[in-house]
Amino acid sequence: MIHLITAENCHLYKREMLEHFRIRHDIYVGERKWKAIERADGLERDQFDDDDSIYVLAVEDEHVVGGSRLRPTLKPHLLGEVFPHLAQVHGVPRGADIYEWTRLFILKERRGGWGNAALPGQIVCGGLEYCLDEGINAFTLILEMWWVPRFHEMGWRITPLGLPAIVENEWWVAAMVTVNPQMLESTRRYCGLPSRPILTRRGLPELPVKRKYA
Ligand code: COA
């Protein structure tokens, strides 16, 4: 199941959140060798993992198998604080309706494609659903260049914010993506997911009965 975790319900997910920080360390430091974020406690938790961040976690058999993080751009965030040079052409977008999306990961043994309702699609559609529910009209990303054609195929409108640059031996670019119900629908189609909400909102207030999208 795909769970939405915020400051409001994180007390219900203490074990899962800890497991998620440990997996992030295994993946980003162990596998991807991003030594700059290595931590002695084996938990990849940075200055942006605070009460303002929102998590979309995939949990199966009581274990985290994937996840991602969303964060308001009105708060300090990765692009604004650490990589603003990637947004040198258009500047770092900030606004109440703009979030930053980072740290998409899947356990190594669960990877292998986005079709057939696979985990990456579930997590991404969960994040898009959150954006639409909360009136978030766009998100920023710092992405490796190889993502761009995939996102285009999903029907995303991506605006680069600056020129690509090498980070950790890969070409990265900062971009902004517009969110609307049509792109959620095209993403669902690409990922082989049905047109219905996927997010579990345990311990969070009920949403208005009539959403602006399916
Ligand atoms: N460079 C180029 N292409 C890459 C790539 C990389 N570093 N990583 C993945 N891809 C592309 C490849 O086309 C790959 O196809 P292949 O099987 O022919 O190699 C395809 O994506 C599928 O990648 P896969 O690793 O099977 O993962 P997935 O699509 O199921 O999930 C991620 C994608 C990013 C969630 C997963 O790779 C992951 O968790 N990676 C570690 C965390 C990470 O780096 N996240 C992104 C930055 S925050």
Side-chain angles (χ1 to χ4, degrees), residues 35-64:
K35 293 297 178 194
I37 56 171
E38 183 166 16
R39 286 186 33 145
D41 62 4
L43 302 175
E44 197 274 290
R45 188 159 28 184
D46 65 17
Q47 68 269 41
F48 309 119
D49 288 301
D50 61 17
D51 281 355
D52 292 311
S53 284
I54 306 294
Y55 300 87
V56 176
L57 293 191
V59 181
E60 289 179 1
D61 299 327
E62 298 186 10
H63 287 288
V64 174

PDB file of all heavy atoms in Angstrom, residues 35-64:
ATOM      1  N   LYS A  35      28.859   9.954  -1.175  1.00  0.00           N
ATOM      2  CA  LYS A  35      29.579   9.962   0.112  1.00  0.00           C
ATOM      3  C   LYS A  35      29.313  11.243   0.918  1.00  0.00           C
ATOM      4  O   LYS A  35      29.437  11.247   2.138  1.00  0.00           O
ATOM      5  CB  LYS A  35      31.083   9.790  -0.129  1.00  0.00           C
ATOM      6  CG  LYS A  35      31.431   8.404  -0.690  1.00  0.00           C
ATOM      7  CD  LYS A  35      31.075   7.295   0.304  1.00  0.00           C
ATOM      8  CE  LYS A  35      31.378   5.913  -0.249  1.00  0.00           C
ATOM      9  NZ  LYS A  35      30.759   4.835   0.515  1.00  0.00           N
ATOM     10  N   ALA A  36      28.925  12.326   0.241  1.00  0.00           N
ATOM     11  CA  ALA A  36      28.693  13.590   0.945  1.00  0.00           C
ATOM     12  C   ALA A  36      27.550  13.481   1.955  1.00  0.00           C
ATOM     13  O   ALA A  36      27.487  14.268   2.906  1.00  0.00           O
ATOM     14  CB  ALA A  36      28.407  14.696  -0.061  1.00  0.00           C
ATOM     15  N   ILE A  37      26.654  12.524   1.766  1.00  0.00           N
ATOM     16  CA  ILE A  37      25.514  12.422   2.691  1.00  0.00           C
ATOM     17  C   ILE A  37      25.654  11.210   3.623  1.00  0.00           C
ATOM     18  O   ILE A  37      24.706  10.859   4.326  1.00  0.00           O
ATOM     19  CB  ILE A  37      24.154  12.385   1.936  1.00  0.00           C
ATOM     20  CG1 ILE A  37      24.117  11.233   0.917  1.00  0.00           C
ATOM     21  CG2 ILE A  37      23.880  13.719   1.259  1.00  0.00           C
ATOM     22  CD1 ILE A  37      22.735  11.025   0.313  1.00  0.00           C
ATOM     23  N   GLU A  38      26.845  10.623   3.663  1.00  0.00           N
ATOM     24  CA  GLU A  38      27.081   9.470   4.550  1.00  0.00           C
ATOM     25  C   GLU A  38      26.940   9.900   6.018  1.00  0.00           C
ATOM     26  O   GLU A  38      27.342  10.992   6.390  1.00  0.00           O
ATOM     27  CB  GLU A  38      28.495   8.924   4.311  1.00  0.00           C
ATOM     28  CG  GLU A  38      28.787   7.699   5.143  1.00  0.00           C
ATOM     29  CD  GLU A  38      30.036   6.970   4.655  1.00  0.00           C
ATOM     30  OE1 GLU A  38      30.829   7.563   3.895  1.00  0.00           O
ATOM     31  OE2 GLU A  38      30.183   5.806   5.050  1.00  0.00           O
ATOM     32  N   ARG A  39      26.324   9.018   6.811  1.00  0.00           N
ATOM     33  CA  ARG A  39      26.169   9.347   8.244  1.00  0.00           C
ATOM     34  C   ARG A  39      26.556   8.148   9.094  1.00  0.00           C
ATOM     35  O   ARG A  39      26.283   7.002   8.748  1.00  0.00           O
ATOM     36  CB  ARG A  39      24.720   9.753   8.543  1.00  0.00           C
ATOM     37  CG  ARG A  39      24.420  11.147   8.010  1.00  0.00           C
ATOM     38  CD  ARG A  39      23.073  11.640   8.387  1.00  0.00           C
ATOM     39  NE  ARG A  39      22.621  11.172   9.689  1.00  0.00           N
ATOM     40  CZ  ARG A  39      21.882  11.897  10.509  1.00  0.00           C
ATOM     41  NH1 ARG A  39      21.570  13.118  10.203  1.00  0.00           N
ATOM     42  NH2 ARG A  39      21.454  11.391  11.652  1.00  0.00           N
ATOM     43  N   ALA A  40      27.152   8.457  10.241  1.00  0.00           N
ATOM     44  CA  ALA A  40      27.667   7.382  11.101  1.00  0.00           C
ATOM     45  C   ALA A  40      26.542   6.477  11.599  1.00  0.00           C
ATOM     46  O   ALA A  40      26.745   5.282  11.825  1.00  0.00           O
ATOM     47  CB  ALA A  40      28.421   7.990  12.277  1.00  0.00           C
ATOM     48  N   ASP A  41      25.345   7.031  11.765  1.00  0.00           N
ATOM     49  CA  ASP A  41      24.249   6.205  12.305  1.00  0.00           C
ATOM     50  C   ASP A  41      23.562   5.355  11.229  1.00  0.00           C
ATOM     51  O   ASP A  41      22.614   4.621  11.519  1.00  0.00           O
ATOM     52  CB  ASP A  41      23.216   7.084  13.039  1.00  0.00           C
ATOM     53  CG  ASP A  41      22.541   8.094  12.121  1.00  0.00           C
ATOM     54  OD1 ASP A  41      22.807   8.085  10.885  1.00  0.00           O
ATOM     55  OD2 ASP A  41      21.741   8.903  12.625  1.00  0.00           O
ATOM     56  N   GLY A  42      24.020   5.455   9.980  1.00  0.00           N
ATOM     57  CA  GLY A  42      23.454   4.623   8.915  1.00  0.00           C
ATOM     58  C   GLY A  42      22.054   5.040   8.503  1.00  0.00           C
ATOM     59  O   GLY A  42      21.338   4.286   7.837  1.00  0.00           O
ATOM     60  N   LEU A  43      21.666   6.271   8.872  1.00  0.00           N
ATOM     61  CA  LEU A  43      20.335   6.781   8.489  1.00  0.00           C
ATOM     62  C   LEU A  43      20.547   7.998   7.592  1.00  0.00           C
ATOM     63  O   LEU A  43      21.185   8.969   8.018  1.00  0.00           O
ATOM     64  CB  LEU A  43      19.534   7.193   9.719  1.00  0.00           C
ATOM     65  CG  LEU A  43      19.297   6.105  10.767  1.00  0.00           C
ATOM     66  CD1 LEU A  43      18.597   6.697  11.989  1.00  0.00           C
ATOM     67  CD2 LEU A  43      18.478   4.952  10.198  1.00  0.00           C
ATOM     68  N   GLU A  44      20.032   7.951   6.366  1.00  0.00           N
ATOM     69  CA  GLU A  44      20.196   9.090   5.458  1.00  0.00           C
ATOM     70  C   GLU A  44      19.066  10.073   5.739  1.00  0.00           C
ATOM     71  O   GLU A  44      17.980   9.965   5.197  1.00  0.00           O
ATOM     72  CB  GLU A  44      20.181   8.617   3.999  1.00  0.00           C
ATOM     73  CG  GLU A  44      20.739   9.656   3.033  1.00  0.00           C
ATOM     74  CD  GLU A  44      19.707  10.654   2.561  1.00  0.00           C
ATOM     75  OE1 GLU A  44      18.808  10.269   1.793  1.00  0.00           O
ATOM     76  OE2 GLU A  44      19.800  11.840   2.977  1.00  0.00           O
ATOM     77  N   ARG A  45      19.364  10.978   6.667  1.00  0.00           N
ATOM     78  CA  ARG A  45      18.360  11.957   7.097  1.00  0.00           C
ATOM     79  C   ARG A  45      19.054  13.312   7.011  1.00  0.00           C
ATOM     80  O   ARG A  45      20.057  13.513   7.694  1.00  0.00           O
ATOM     81  CB  ARG A  45      17.971  11.640   8.539  1.00  0.00           C
ATOM     82  CG  ARG A  45      16.850  12.422   9.053  1.00  0.00           C
ATOM     83  CD  ARG A  45      16.142  11.833  10.233  1.00  0.00           C
ATOM     84  NE  ARG A  45      16.901  10.972  11.120  1.00  0.00           N
ATOM     85  CZ  ARG A  45      16.374  10.332  12.147  1.00  0.00           C
ATOM     86  NH1 ARG A  45      15.105  10.459  12.419  1.00  0.00           N
ATOM     87  NH2 ARG A  45      17.111   9.569  12.921  1.00  0.00           N
ATOM     88  N   ASP A  46      18.549  14.232   6.177  1.00  0.00           N
ATOM     89  CA  ASP A  46      19.254  15.500   6.028  1.00  0.00           C
ATOM     90  C   ASP A  46      18.475  16.628   6.705  1.00  0.00           C
ATOM     91  O   ASP A  46      17.476  16.396   7.391  1.00  0.00           O
ATOM     92  CB  ASP A  46      19.556  15.790   4.545  1.00  0.00           C
ATOM     93  CG  ASP A  46      18.294  15.989   3.716  1.00  0.00           C
ATOM     94  OD1 ASP A  46      17.211  16.231   4.306  1.00  0.00           O
ATOM     95  OD2 ASP A  46      18.378  15.925   2.474  1.00  0.00           O
ATOM     96  N   GLN A  47      18.953  17.859   6.498  1.00  0.00           N
ATOM     97  CA  GLN A  47      18.340  19.021   7.165  1.00  0.00           C
ATOM     98  C   GLN A  47      16.933  19.298   6.656  1.00  0.00           C
ATOM     99  O   GLN A  47      16.217  20.105   7.223  1.00  0.00           O
ATOM    100  CB  GLN A  47      19.232  20.265   7.004  1.00  0.00           C
ATOM    101  CG  GLN A  47      19.364  20.843   5.601  1.00  0.00           C
ATOM    102  CD  GLN A  47      20.526  20.260   4.831  1.00  0.00           C
ATOM    103  OE1 GLN A  47      20.797  19.062   4.879  1.00  0.00           O
ATOM    104  NE2 GLN A  47      21.240  21.115   4.104  1.00  0.00           N
ATOM    105  N   PHE A  48      16.534  18.613   5.564  1.00  0.00           N
ATOM    106  CA  PHE A  48      15.201  18.843   5.011  1.00  0.00           C
ATOM    107  C   PHE A  48      14.194  17.777   5.471  1.00  0.00           C
ATOM    108  O   PHE A  48      13.029  17.819   5.089  1.00  0.00           O
ATOM    109  CB  PHE A  48      15.274  18.894   3.482  1.00  0.00           C
ATOM    110  CG  PHE A  48      16.333  19.849   3.000  1.00  0.00           C
ATOM    111  CD1 PHE A  48      17.398  19.410   2.231  1.00  0.00           C
ATOM    112  CD2 PHE A  48      16.280  21.192   3.354  1.00  0.00           C
ATOM    113  CE1 PHE A  48      18.391  20.280   1.815  1.00  0.00           C
ATOM    114  CE2 PHE A  48      17.278  22.081   2.946  1.00  0.00           C
ATOM    115  CZ  PHE A  48      18.335  21.623   2.171  1.00  0.00           C
ATOM    116  N   ASP A  49      14.667  16.822   6.256  1.00  0.00           N
ATOM    117  CA  ASP A  49      13.743  15.816   6.796  1.00  0.00           C
ATOM    118  C   ASP A  49      13.206  16.319   8.133  1.00  0.00           C
ATOM    119  O   ASP A  49      13.627  15.878   9.202  1.00  0.00           O
ATOM    120  CB  ASP A  49      14.468  14.472   6.962  1.00  0.00           C
ATOM    121  CG  ASP A  49      14.751  13.813   5.624  1.00  0.00           C
ATOM    122  OD1 ASP A  49      13.798  13.553   4.877  1.00  0.00           O
ATOM    123  OD2 ASP A  49      15.935  13.580   5.319  1.00  0.00           O
ATOM    124  N   ASP A  50      12.308  17.279   8.046  1.00  0.00           N
ATOM    125  CA  ASP A  50      11.704  17.796   9.271  1.00  0.00           C
ATOM    126  C   ASP A  50      10.178  17.784   9.105  1.00  0.00           C
ATOM    127  O   ASP A  50       9.655  17.196   8.160  1.00  0.00           O
ATOM    128  CB  ASP A  50      12.242  19.207   9.581  1.00  0.00           C
ATOM    129  CG  ASP A  50      11.913  20.202   8.466  1.00  0.00           C
ATOM    130  OD1 ASP A  50      11.017  19.910   7.639  1.00  0.00           O
ATOM    131  OD2 ASP A  50      12.538  21.266   8.422  1.00  0.00           O
ATOM    132  N   ASP A  51       9.489  18.435  10.032  1.00  0.00           N
ATOM    133  CA  ASP A  51       8.023  18.372  10.040  1.00  0.00           C
ATOM    134  C   ASP A  51       7.367  18.958   8.794  1.00  0.00           C
ATOM    135  O   ASP A  51       6.183  18.724   8.551  1.00  0.00           O
ATOM    136  CB  ASP A  51       7.475  19.118  11.267  1.00  0.00           C
ATOM    137  CG  ASP A  51       7.598  18.274  12.513  1.00  0.00           C
ATOM    138  OD1 ASP A  51       8.020  17.101  12.392  1.00  0.00           O
ATOM    139  OD2 ASP A  51       7.287  18.785  13.607  1.00  0.00           O
ATOM    140  N   ASP A  52       8.112  19.736   8.011  1.00  0.00           N
ATOM    141  CA  ASP A  52       7.511  20.324   6.812  1.00  0.00           C
ATOM    142  C   ASP A  52       7.530  19.366   5.624  1.00  0.00           C
ATOM    143  O   ASP A  52       6.874  19.618   4.617  1.00  0.00           O
ATOM    144  CB  ASP A  52       8.244  21.616   6.430  1.00  0.00           C
ATOM    145  CG  ASP A  52       8.014  22.702   7.461  1.00  0.00           C
ATOM    146  OD1 ASP A  52       6.841  22.916   7.822  1.00  0.00           O
ATOM    147  OD2 ASP A  52       8.996  23.297   7.925  1.00  0.00           O
ATOM    148  N   SER A  53       8.316  18.310   5.713  1.00  0.00           N
ATOM    149  CA  SER A  53       8.379  17.371   4.593  1.00  0.00           C
ATOM    150  C   SER A  53       7.242  16.363   4.660  1.00  0.00           C
ATOM    151  O   SER A  53       6.747  16.018   5.738  1.00  0.00           O
ATOM    152  CB  SER A  53       9.737  16.656   4.573  1.00  0.00           C
ATOM    153  OG  SER A  53      10.720  17.529   4.066  1.00  0.00           O
ATOM    154  N   ILE A  54       6.859  15.903   3.483  1.00  0.00           N
ATOM    155  CA  ILE A  54       5.758  14.953   3.311  1.00  0.00           C
ATOM    156  C   ILE A  54       6.363  13.705   2.676  1.00  0.00           C
ATOM    157  O   ILE A  54       7.183  13.833   1.759  1.00  0.00           O
ATOM    158  CB  ILE A  54       4.733  15.520   2.293  1.00  0.00           C
ATOM    159  CG1 ILE A  54       4.264  16.921   2.681  1.00  0.00           C
ATOM    160  CG2 ILE A  54       3.556  14.577   2.055  1.00  0.00           C
ATOM    161  CD1 ILE A  54       3.482  16.976   3.939  1.00  0.00           C
ATOM    162  N   TYR A  55       5.968  12.541   3.132  1.00  0.00           N
ATOM    163  CA  TYR A  55       6.535  11.311   2.581  1.00  0.00           C
ATOM    164  C   TYR A  55       5.445  10.447   1.962  1.00  0.00           C
ATOM    165  O   TYR A  55       4.337  10.351   2.504  1.00  0.00           O
ATOM    166  CB  TYR A  55       7.261  10.519   3.683  1.00  0.00           C
ATOM    167  CG  TYR A  55       8.374  11.328   4.291  1.00  0.00           C
ATOM    168  CD1 TYR A  55       8.127  12.192   5.368  1.00  0.00           C
ATOM    169  CD2 TYR A  55       9.649  11.301   3.747  1.00  0.00           C
ATOM    170  CE1 TYR A  55       9.139  12.982   5.894  1.00  0.00           C
ATOM    171  CE2 TYR A  55      10.668  12.091   4.263  1.00  0.00           C
ATOM    172  CZ  TYR A  55      10.402  12.930   5.334  1.00  0.00           C
ATOM    173  OH  TYR A  55      11.396  13.720   5.836  1.00  0.00           O
ATOM    174  N   VAL A  56       5.803   9.848   0.837  1.00  0.00           N
ATOM    175  CA  VAL A  56       4.924   8.855   0.211  1.00  0.00           C
ATOM    176  C   VAL A  56       5.707   7.545   0.289  1.00  0.00           C
ATOM    177  O   VAL A  56       6.750   7.416  -0.368  1.00  0.00           O
ATOM    178  CB  VAL A  56       4.614   9.246  -1.251  1.00  0.00           C
ATOM    179  CG1 VAL A  56       3.792   8.169  -1.934  1.00  0.00           C
ATOM    180  CG2 VAL A  56       3.881  10.588  -1.307  1.00  0.00           C
ATOM    181  N   LEU A  57       5.254   6.620   1.121  1.00  0.00           N
ATOM    182  CA  LEU A  57       6.005   5.369   1.309  1.00  0.00           C
ATOM    183  C   LEU A  57       5.199   4.177   0.814  1.00  0.00           C
ATOM    184  O   LEU A  57       3.995   4.064   1.089  1.00  0.00           O
ATOM    185  CB  LEU A  57       6.348   5.143   2.786  1.00  0.00           C
ATOM    186  CG  LEU A  57       7.330   6.096   3.467  1.00  0.00           C
ATOM    187  CD1 LEU A  57       7.752   5.542   4.833  1.00  0.00           C
ATOM    188  CD2 LEU A  57       8.558   6.357   2.609  1.00  0.00           C
ATOM    189  N   ALA A  58       5.892   3.275   0.110  1.00  0.00           N
ATOM    190  CA  ALA A  58       5.279   2.006  -0.290  1.00  0.00           C
ATOM    191  C   ALA A  58       5.627   0.993   0.793  1.00  0.00           C
ATOM    192  O   ALA A  58       6.814   0.767   1.072  1.00  0.00           O
ATOM    193  CB  ALA A  58       5.835   1.564  -1.641  1.00  0.00           C
ATOM    194  N   VAL A  59       4.601   0.420   1.421  1.00  0.00           N
ATOM    195  CA  VAL A  59       4.825  -0.531   2.521  1.00  0.00           C
ATOM    196  C   VAL A  59       4.153  -1.849   2.162  1.00  0.00           C
ATOM    197  O   VAL A  59       2.964  -1.869   1.813  1.00  0.00           O
ATOM    198  CB  VAL A  59       4.254   0.016   3.856  1.00  0.00           C
ATOM    199  CG1 VAL A  59       4.520  -0.958   5.001  1.00  0.00           C
ATOM    200  CG2 VAL A  59       4.854   1.384   4.183  1.00  0.00           C
ATOM    201  N   GLU A  60       4.934  -2.924   2.219  1.00  0.00           N
ATOM    202  CA  GLU A  60       4.386  -4.259   1.934  1.00  0.00           C
ATOM    203  C   GLU A  60       4.805  -5.198   3.046  1.00  0.00           C
ATOM    204  O   GLU A  60       5.985  -5.208   3.439  1.00  0.00           O
ATOM    205  CB  GLU A  60       4.920  -4.782   0.598  1.00  0.00           C
ATOM    206  CG  GLU A  60       4.340  -4.035  -0.590  1.00  0.00           C
ATOM    207  CD  GLU A  60       4.890  -4.535  -1.932  1.00  0.00           C
ATOM    208  OE1 GLU A  60       5.709  -5.472  -1.941  1.00  0.00           O
ATOM    209  OE2 GLU A  60       4.490  -3.972  -2.948  1.00  0.00           O
ATOM    210  N   ASP A  61       3.865  -6.013   3.532  1.00  0.00           N
ATOM    211  CA  ASP A  61       4.162  -6.944   4.635  1.00  0.00           C
ATOM    212  C   ASP A  61       4.908  -6.239   5.766  1.00  0.00           C
ATOM    213  O   ASP A  61       5.915  -6.738   6.287  1.00  0.00           O
ATOM    214  CB  ASP A  61       4.987  -8.135   4.138  1.00  0.00           C
ATOM    215  CG  ASP A  61       4.230  -8.924   3.073  1.00  0.00           C
ATOM    216  OD1 ASP A  61       2.987  -8.981   3.162  1.00  0.00           O
ATOM    217  OD2 ASP A  61       4.885  -9.427   2.147  1.00  0.00           O
ATOM    218  N   GLU A  62       4.451  -5.053   6.099  1.00  0.00           N
ATOM    219  CA  GLU A  62       4.987  -4.245   7.203  1.00  0.00           C
ATOM    220  C   GLU A  62       6.408  -3.740   6.975  1.00  0.00           C
ATOM    221  O   GLU A  62       7.081  -3.330   7.923  1.00  0.00           O
ATOM    222  CB  GLU A  62       4.904  -5.020   8.528  1.00  0.00           C
ATOM    223  CG  GLU A  62       3.468  -5.343   8.876  1.00  0.00           C
ATOM    224  CD  GLU A  62       3.320  -5.984  10.241  1.00  0.00           C
ATOM    225  OE1 GLU A  62       4.295  -6.011  11.009  1.00  0.00           O
ATOM    226  OE2 GLU A  62       2.214  -6.452  10.524  1.00  0.00           O
ATOM    227  N   HIS A  63       6.887  -3.807   5.719  1.00  0.00           N
ATOM    228  CA  HIS A  63       8.218  -3.272   5.442  1.00  0.00           C
ATOM    229  C   HIS A  63       8.187  -2.264   4.305  1.00  0.00           C
ATOM    230  O   HIS A  63       7.432  -2.421   3.345  1.00  0.00           O
ATOM    231  CB  HIS A  63       9.196  -4.399   5.106  1.00  0.00           C
ATOM    232  CG  HIS A  63       9.560  -5.204   6.320  1.00  0.00           C
ATOM    233  ND1 HIS A  63      10.382  -4.710   7.306  1.00  0.00           N
ATOM    234  CD2 HIS A  63       9.170  -6.434   6.725  1.00  0.00           C
ATOM    235  CE1 HIS A  63      10.498  -5.609   8.263  1.00  0.00           C
ATOM    236  NE2 HIS A  63       9.764  -6.670   7.946  1.00  0.00           N
ATOM    237  N   VAL A  64       9.034  -1.250   4.444  1.00  0.00           N
ATOM    238  CA  VAL A  64       9.128  -0.222   3.406  1.00  0.00           C
ATOM    239  C   VAL A  64       9.851  -0.818   2.197  1.00  0.00           C
ATOM    240  O   VAL A  64      10.905  -1.442   2.340  1.00  0.00           O
ATOM    241  CB  VAL A  64       9.913   0.999   3.949  1.00  0.00           C
ATOM    242  CG1 VAL A  64      10.151   2.031   2.857  1.00  0.00           C
ATOM    243  CG2 VAL A  64       9.171   1.620   5.134  1.00  0.00           C
TER     244      VAL A  64
END
